[in-house]
Amino acid sequence: MSGMKFRRTCSVCNATFFSPDRKAAYCLKCLKKRVVKHVPSEAKAVPETTRVAPRPFPSSRPPLAEPSKSRPARVAKIATLTPELRRRVIEIYEEEYAEGAIQTREVHAQIASKLWLKRQLVADVIREITQSKIALTDDLKARAIEMYQRFVESGHRPEGGRRRAISSALGLPYKQVMKIIREWSMAEYETSPTPSPNRLQLFEIEKMYWDELNKQRYRLTELPAKIAEELGYVSRWQVLRWLDVLHDDQRAFANVPDPSPEAQQQIIDAYVEYLRAPAPPDHGLHYNIAGQIPKVSPRQVHKVLQNHRHKMRAEYPLV
């Protein structure tokens, strides 16, 4: 039988063991010892001896120091514009860049690199020769303010920004337009009972605006004056500017991914609850709502609310 084992007694240690070989004379333990004992000496591995390198003879001479590789000192760009440098900037610009094939910032960088000038000096010179000198009259100033007011009242945001559009339309330098608008706006704020409204006051403006949108009692253009009159602590212009902030440029959110339709509805529902509250949350609105909805960022909340506000204003029947 193939599975039969025989009871045997080891001839070395007299231990009883079982083996399929009826003539087995050694138990497994003694068999292993016997095999190891009879391994030929030639088969044993001889460890390879490694030669140790001789120790270097100590020398009394100090080691030679390697020559240091010092980088040449970088020369700072010229920060003072001399008449000669100004002439060279104009000359290079008119000969190589006057056609306008390269962006202005790149032109500044290339000329600054050629003459080793600070870029701002180059920009100042080119601005002087490219922008026409226009005397700022009271009429131009009034037109700039009027254009800006119309942009804010209508919510229109031209490509490139409102101030840049005014600059292009009136032929005024952009920085000059910025200064005109800033000074006029600050003067308008100073005429208000509350030149700098706090968060709670701005929240009240927002709540009243949405309440009037739902009631549909006034034209859209009349709402800022009605809200300012009702609240009493802000001017019409302050209400206009805050509503303008609430209806931001939608192009700024072009790269923000849209949440799922379910998440968008949750955001709008949370915004409705926000408007019912007596005060704004401690944290920002967008962060507060994003914390309530999984897998939604504050930026996505901002985008959804912007789209919602623009949609509601566009659908308002009384323009």
Side-chain angles (χ1 to χ4, degrees), residues 235-307:
S235 66
R236 173 182 176 273
W237 177 248
Q238 285 176 306
V239 175
L240 265 172
R241 281 294 293 124
W242 182 238
L243 296 181
D244 188 52
V245 171
L246 294 177
H247 297 79
D248 205 352
D249 191 351
Q250 291 177 289
R251 288 169 296 196
F253 303 91
N255 296 327
V256 179
D258 292 319
S260 65
E262 295 79 8
Q264 293 186 36
Q265 187 58 49
Q266 287 179 301
I267 292 171
I268 295 173
D269 293 342
Y271 183 58
V272 172
E273 291 299 320
Y274 157 82
L275 293 172
R276 291 174 181 167
D282 294 335
H283 301 290
L285 170 63
H286 307 142
Y287 284 90
N288 184 272
I289 295 179
Q292 303 174 27
I293 305 171
K295 297 182 180 179
V296 172
S297 69
R299 189 69 173 162
Q300 288 176 304
V301 173
H302 195 179
K303 179 179 182 179
V304 172
L305 293 183
Q306 285 299 322
N307 293 340

Side-chain angles (χ1 to χ4, degrees), residues 37-225:
K37 184 177 180 181
H38 289 84
V39 171
S41 59
E42 293 80 9
K44 294 183 179 180
V46 179
E48 184 179 354
T49 58
T50 56
R51 298 185 62 184
V52 180
R55 295 178 60 186
F57 186 76
S59 174
S60 58
R61 297 175 59 185
L64 296 176
E66 294 184 2
S68 60
K69 298 179 181 179
S70 58
R71 297 177 61 182
R74 184 179 178 86
V75 181
K77 287 190 175 182
I78 301 171
T80 304
L81 185 67
T82 63
E84 176 61 23
L85 285 173
R86 187 178 187 279
R87 185 189 64 79
R88 288 284 296 133
V89 170
I90 297 174
E91 182 180 303
I92 294 174
Y93 175 77
E94 291 179 346
E95 290 179 357
E96 303 180 23
Y97 304 101
E99 296 180 358
I102 305 177
Q103 291 186 354
T104 305
R105 295 182 64 181
E106 184 62 25
V107 171
H108 297 166
Q110 291 185 15
I111 297 178
S113 179
K114 289 178 180 180
L115 300 178
W116 205 243
L117 272 173
K118 286 196 172 182
R119 190 179 302 184
Q120 186 59 46
L121 298 178
V122 177
D124 292 340
V125 173
I126 293 177
R127 188 182 303 111
E128 289 177 10
I129 63 176
T130 55
Q131 289 187 347
S132 57
K133 294 289 185 178
I134 298 179
L136 181 61
T137 63
D138 292 340
D139 179 60
L140 277 175
K141 188 174 180 179
R143 287 174 61 189
I145 294 170
E146 182 186 358
M147 288 182 66
Y148 183 72
Q149 283 180 297
R150 288 204 307 267
F151 282 145
V152 174
E153 289 173 355
S154 64
H156 179 55
R157 298 179 184 273
E159 188 71 33
R162 294 165 175 169
R163 293 165 181 80
R164 200 166 295 281
I166 296 171
S167 171
S168 177
L170 301 182
L172 291 172
Y174 175 72
K175 289 187 177 180
Q176 197 168 30
V177 173
M178 287 184 62
K179 183 180 179 182
I180 293 170
I181 301 303
R182 182 173 61 252
E183 290 178 351
W184 176 81
S185 296
M186 291 178 65
E188 284 293 310
Y189 292 149
E190 290 300 323
T191 62
S192 168
T194 311
S196 299
N198 56 36
R199 282 190 70 209
L200 181 59
Q201 291 169 332
L202 295 175
F203 178 64
E204 291 294 336
I205 295 174
E206 187 175 3
K207 287 182 63 173
M208 187 167 291
Y209 168 73
W210 282 100
D211 185 53
E212 290 297 339
L213 283 186
N214 293 325
K215 291 179 179 178
Q216 299 182 2
R217 298 189 300 175
Y218 307 107
R219 293 185 178 277
L220 199 61
T221 54
E222 297 173 341
L223 285 181

